[in-house]
Amino acid sequence: MIWITRERPKIDRIACPWLIRRFIDRDADIMFVPAEVVIQTAERLNAIPFDIPGVEYTHYEDQCTFDYFLKKHRLDDEALHVLAPIVRGADTDDHSLARESAGLWAVSAGLAFNMQDDKELLDYGMLIYDALYSWAKHLRETRHTQSPVEKILLEVLHTYQKETASARKIPEWVEELKNRIQDQIDTNLTLTELSRSLDVNPAYVSRVFGRYFDNLSYGEYIRKLRIERAIELLTTTRYSLSEIAYLTGFSDQSHFTRIFKMVMQVNPSEYRKNIGKGKTDTKR
């Protein structure tokens, strides 16, 4: 059977082909093509698409495509379920799910950086997941450090890590996403487009967006920034309302006025007049 997904794989699109070939379809032909032609190529070749939006084999809520394969094909091998949170944590950039996730991401990202041929990348990735599976199956309880002193030190470290788990660092992509939103506040880029430009899973970003952006949804956060920018322009410039609407990304002056009044309880022209009155009163 032919299985097809997006080109330039890193985590889920290497882990899933490994799972397919080792446990579902040993003779599977894995194809990597540009994202925009996955569906039409799958239809033409009678192939099964995976790890793209809108198909059966994809992300669901906080689960990645690897998780869905396990559920769909009822794979109950304990070692595979040890691998699942490692893959999920690496794929969604949530390394708190498994301590091995950070290492899997680092190795996978480095491998993709060094290799431009996706087929070759998959060949090496198969070796990585074979090794990871053997560790999960046979070596999970084996420790590299065996001396009593080292064991005590590791126990102290693990206790400390558990106590500080709630104080995780903010992911690097959050600051970059904030900057890109600020830079493109007057455009209509979607969160999916911004997430993909950062090489972060869009479903994951959508799910945790409020955690890092004032407990607001993406739409609410964009509206907040646009209103703040509009207030700045109303206060410091003599731009017309239609010009301000254009500069802050609203579709037109009517849309700008309606949203501004909904948020500020006063329309933009009245807000500007009140600013002028305030300045006049200050001079008396």
Side-chain angles (χ1 to χ4, degrees), residues 1-20:
M1 189 68 192
I2 301 174
W3 299 75
I4 189 168
T5 188
R6 294 173 290 133
E7 61 186 353
R8 303 309 300 144
K10 288 188 179 67
I11 303 294
D12 220 7
R13 282 168 288 143
I14 294 292
C16 291
W18 171 83
L19 187 65
I20 291 168

Side-chain angles (χ1 to χ4, degrees), residues 66 70 77-87 97-98 100 132-133 135-137 140:
F66 189 90
L70 294 182
D77 186 324
E78 182 182 357
L80 294 179
H81 290 271
V82 172
L83 295 187
I86 300 174
V87 172
L97 293 177
E100 296 82 11
L132 194 56
Y133 176 77
W135 165 82
K137 190 81 170 178
R140 199 153 35 102

Side-chain angles (χ1 to χ4, degrees), residues 224-250:
K224 170 179 175 289
L225 294 185
R226 287 176 173 172
I227 293 297
E228 289 174 352
R229 176 61 175 154
I231 289 173
E232 178 186 352
L233 294 174
L234 286 168
T235 305
T236 61
T237 75
R238 297 310 301 169
Y239 290 142
S240 68
L241 296 187
S242 61
E243 288 172 329
I244 292 176
Y246 172 76
L247 291 171
T248 51
F250 290 96

Side-chain angles (χ1 to χ4, degrees), residues 3-228:
W3 299 75
I4 189 168
T5 188
R6 294 173 290 133
E7 61 186 353
R8 303 309 300 144
K10 288 188 179 67
I11 303 294
D12 220 7
R13 282 168 288 143
I14 294 292
C16 291
W18 171 83
L19 187 65
I20 291 168
R21 285 183 172 175
R22 294 293 186 256
F23 296 92
I24 299 170
D25 179 5
R26 294 188 180 276
D27 298 319
D29 182 6
I30 309 297
M31 291 185 62
F32 300 100
V33 299
E36 61 272 16
V37 300
V38 171
I39 295 298
Q40 65 188 65
T41 306
E43 292 174 350
R44 178 168 55 84
L45 299 177
N46 193 29
I48 301 176
F50 66 95
D51 201 44
I52 63 168
V55 301
E56 179 184 3
Y57 290 92
T58 189
H59 287 232
Y60 292 92
E61 297 179 348
D62 62 344
Q63 304 285 291
C64 65
T65 309
F66 189 90
D67 294 293
Y68 183 75
F69 269 102
L70 294 182
K71 180 180 179 181
K72 171 71 175 181
H73 294 276
R74 300 180 181 179
L75 300 174
D76 56 4
D77 186 324
E78 182 182 357
L80 294 179
H81 290 271
V82 172
L83 295 187
I86 300 174
V87 172
R88 190 185 321 131
D91 192 54
T92 62
D93 200 31
D94 188 355
H95 298 164
S96 66
L97 293 177
R99 62 183 180 181
E100 296 82 11
S101 293
L104 178 58
W105 161 247
V107 171
S108 301
L111 198 64
F113 181 83
N114 290 340
M115 295 181 180
Q116 299 305 308
D117 184 282
D118 290 350
K119 289 288 187 179
E120 183 183 16
L121 181 58
L122 176 59
D123 289 341
Y124 280 89
M126 294 290 289
L127 295 176
I128 289 174
Y129 282 95
D130 280 343
L132 194 56
Y133 176 77
S134 293
W135 165 82
K137 190 81 170 178
H138 307 291
L139 304 169
R140 199 153 35 102
E141 302 303 322
T142 302
R143 295 292 180 265
H144 176 63
T145 51
Q146 297 295 330
S147 75
V149 174
E150 288 174 330
K151 186 175 181 180
I152 292 172
L153 289 174
L154 287 176
E155 288 176 352
V156 171
L157 172 64
H158 295 158
T159 300
Y160 172 77
Q161 288 175 330
K162 289 180 181 178
E163 292 175 350
T164 58
S166 60
R168 290 176 294 169
K169 292 183 179 179
I170 296 176
E172 292 182 4
W173 61 262
V174 172
E175 190 61 34
E176 181 60 25
L177 180 58
K178 286 183 179 180
N179 292 336
R180 295 196 184 191
I181 290 175
Q182 288 281 4
D183 291 343
Q184 303 180 65
I185 193 63
D186 59 339
T187 69
N188 289 311
L189 279 179
T190 66
L191 184 58
T192 295
E193 291 170 323
L194 288 167
S195 301
R196 286 176 176 164
S197 72
L198 297 171
D199 200 21
V200 183
N201 184 274
Y204 171 68
V205 174
S206 178
R207 180 168 58 84
V208 303
F209 186 89
R211 185 188 304 173
Y212 305 111
F213 291 83
D214 305 330
N215 290 318
L216 300 174
S217 69
Y218 176 67
E220 291 168 339
Y221 184 74
I222 291 294
R223 184 176 66 189
K224 170 179 175 289
L225 294 185
R226 287 176 173 172
I227 293 297
E228 289 174 352

Side-chain angles (χ1 to χ4, degrees), residues 259-267 270:
I259 298 300
F260 190 94
K261 186 172 183 178
M262 182 177 68
V263 175
M264 301 301 295
Q265 307 303 311
V266 62
N267 66 44
E270 291 173 341

